[in-house]
Amino acid sequence: MNIVIDAATVLRAWPNVEKYQNTTLRYTPNTDFPEVMEEIIGKPDIIRLFVTLDEVWDYRTNEYHWNYLIGENRYVGDNKHYEYDWPLTEVSPFQVHEEDYLRSHAAHAKTVMLNIRRYEREVIEGIITLETYEKVFEKVVEYYKEHIANIVYIECCNEVEIPRFGGLRMEEYYPLYQCASRAIARLNAKHSYEQPLQIGGFGMSAGMSNWKYWDAFMRLLAKDEKRKIDYYSMHEYHGNPCRILEFYIRHEELRKEFNLPELPLMMSEYGMRYGLGDAGRPDNLHNASGEVAGMLLGSYCKNLKMFPWCSFHNPNQQLGRTMFLQMEDTYIPTPSGHVMTMFHWIKPWQLIVEEDTENQIIATKDKDSYAIMAANPLEDKREYHFLLKHIKKADYIMKEYYVDAFHNNCLQDKSCMKLSISRETKFQNVDKITFTREMNPTSVHFYTIEKRK
């Protein structure tokens, strides 16, 4: 494939797609992790964190456990309590408690999106009343907001349409969302927060595959004259990055048809999906190389923010999606983590790429330095022929970073502690740079080109 990059033609300011990140309560890292993550991939504009209502509040005793040990199931043998995703949840391997998890991540992010979930099924079945749910929801948000001021976005529930998270119809979910939105409105009026709370939903799973649920949610919003919504939220997991554009276009058409407000669309989880099992079980290289095109395409959608899944997860469940692994007393980036590092290293101004028709190449610059990110998500080797034209005549050095089955891959070689240089190439007295590279299957390359001093 021929790749022609015009260094003299700026397309736009690069939107820093890596600035929205995710966590999980099903395998929570220790409190030193967020600082390490920030050092490697930068400070998130928004970090998505979780509170599980059945862990913070016991419906049987009306007791609150604000700083609960994450992942400790107090409901074993309670037939009235729905199973949810407890079978896939482990007690925090580092004995991390909820407030420590929240504070440590919030300290290394500009703002927090707090997802609040569980007890959905108990409300639908009448075990917990809507009035009680609303009261608890409000009290929980108020407590954590008091202690963590940069909590801004409240996401009501997570993937409620699938059995693991309640198996609700939209007509069952919407009253829960109304409870949450009323609670947030009262809290903002009561406290006049410097950073007011924003409410959104419904955290739908699998994007286009579950479009019927999104259609139903939007219709219920349109009929609700008292609705309060500050952003829409959904997830997309698939091997086809074009589904992001399809969902966004359909969403915008539906929003306009129903006369709903133009608001941010938070894709609060995004990742590749291959095969069966928990979260589709992609290979980490599949996920790393496949996300590039999706995040590039998504970056062109106004108001869309994409949160790749996931910064740290159980390697025995979701090795294909975790960005970091813990090795003894440190955290090591996986190929997916290296891709986030590459996004973090991208220069401020995006350049025109003339012959990339597959959205696999990102070229950027800052004054007289350049960065190129190239992905090959295919199962075969691929040869790329690069031409960087219209640069100032000078001597340049190109540093190359490869991520594939043989380079910068801690899953294959535990000595790969960080994203390291794979090759250096020097160019003398040139006003254009040409080079050819063969990329291995499911791989990503990153090139930095700078004037030699």
Side-chain angles (χ1 to χ4, degrees), residues 171-191:
E171 292 78 10
E172 295 171 323
Y173 167 75
Y174 198 73
L176 297 175
Y177 177 79
Q178 289 176 309
C179 288
S181 63
R182 287 192 296 266
I184 297 309
R186 282 193 300 272
L187 288 174
N188 282 332
K190 177 180 177 182
H191 294 286

Side-chain angles (χ1 to χ4, degrees), residues 341-440:
T341 303
M342 292 174 178
F343 277 126
H344 180 51
W345 286 356
I346 283 177
K347 305 294 183 179
W349 301 102
Q350 186 178 354
L351 300 172
I352 289 287
V353 180
E354 295 181 358
E355 299 189 39
D356 173 30
T357 60
E358 300 175 9
N359 301 290
Q360 305 294 354
I361 310 296
I362 302 168
T364 58
K365 78 171 186 177
D366 181 10
K367 295 181 180 179
D368 295 323
S369 63
Y370 307 90
I372 302 168
M373 189 173 181
N376 175 23
L378 304 180
E379 298 286 352
D380 300 312
K381 290 184 178 181
R382 201 170 194 185
E383 194 169 77
Y384 287 137
H385 307 281
F386 291 92
L387 166 60
L388 176 63
K389 62 182 183 179
H390 297 150
I391 63 175
K392 291 182 180 179
K393 197 165 191 176
D395 295 344
Y396 290 89
I397 184 168
M398 181 167 72
K399 297 180 181 179
E400 309 178 38
Y401 303 81
Y402 307 156
V403 175
D404 55 31
F406 310 101
H407 305 87
N408 286 306
N409 188 342
C410 68
L411 304 179
Q412 299 295 327
D413 180 357
K414 292 182 179 180
S415 69
C416 295
M417 305 290 287
K418 62 180 182 178
L419 183 55
S420 301
I421 295 173
S422 304
R423 179 176 180 177
E424 285 190 7
T425 305
K426 295 178 181 179
F427 301 88
Q428 290 187 320
N429 196 30
V430 296
D431 59 7
K432 65 180 179 181
I433 289 177
T434 61
F435 61 99
T436 296
R437 294 292 180 268
E438 184 179 71
M439 294 186 65
N440 284 320

Side-chain angles (χ1 to χ4, degrees), residues 94-229:
F94 310 103
Q95 296 294 292
V96 176
H97 289 68
E98 179 68 10
E99 291 185 35
D100 303 318
Y101 152 77
L102 294 175
R103 283 197 184 94
S104 61
H105 279 89
H108 293 278
K110 291 182 181 178
T111 61
V112 171
M113 174 186 284
L114 190 61
N115 178 281
I116 298 179
R117 65 184 183 91
R118 294 209 186 126
Y119 280 144
E120 296 89 352
R121 196 74 240 170
E122 286 80 2
V123 173
I124 298 308
E125 294 176 359
I127 298 167
I128 298 171
T129 66
L130 279 169
E131 291 76 16
T132 299
Y133 179 84
E134 184 169 333
K135 178 182 177 182
V136 171
F137 196 101
E138 181 174 349
K139 189 168 182 177
V140 167
V141 173
E142 183 176 40
Y143 177 86
Y144 290 119
K145 174 69 171 176
E146 179 183 351
H147 292 81
I148 303 167
N150 61 338
I151 292 175
V152 174
Y153 306 93
I154 303 299
E155 190 177 32
C156 178
C157 305
N158 177 74
E159 299 186 349
V160 294
E161 77 281 11
I162 63 177
R164 185 175 297 159
F165 298 107
L168 274 61
R169 294 178 291 107
M170 286 301 96
E171 292 78 10
E172 295 171 323
Y173 167 75
Y174 198 73
L176 297 175
Y177 177 79
Q178 289 176 309
C179 288
S181 63
R182 287 192 296 266
I184 297 309
R186 282 193 300 272
L187 288 174
N188 282 332
K190 177 180 177 182
H191 294 286
S192 298
Y193 297 117
E194 184 175 340
Q195 288 185 292
L197 295 165
Q198 297 186 32
I199 183 68
F202 76 93
M204 179 186 72
S205 72
M208 287 304 306
S209 296
N210 282 343
W211 177 260
K212 64 181 180 180
Y213 295 105
W214 194 253
D215 181 273
F217 176 64
M218 297 287 277
R219 288 178 187 275
L220 289 165
L221 276 174
K223 293 176 183 177
D224 185 358
E225 295 181 356
K226 296 181 179 180
R227 69 174 174 268
K228 173 176 171 53
I229 187 164

Side-chain angles (χ1 to χ4, degrees), residues 244-254:
I244 294 166
L245 290 181
E246 184 177 357
F247 186 95
Y248 185 81
I249 291 167
R250 283 199 192 186
H251 165 73
E252 282 297 291
E253 289 177 347
L254 200 61

Side-chain angles (χ1 to χ4, degrees), residues 12 14-15 17 294-302 304 306 350:
R12 60 174 177 167
W14 176 251
V17 295
M295 295 185 77
L296 175 57
L297 286 170
S299 74
Y300 292 108
C301 298
K302 181 182 178 183
L304 178 64
M306 299 174 66
Q350 186 178 354

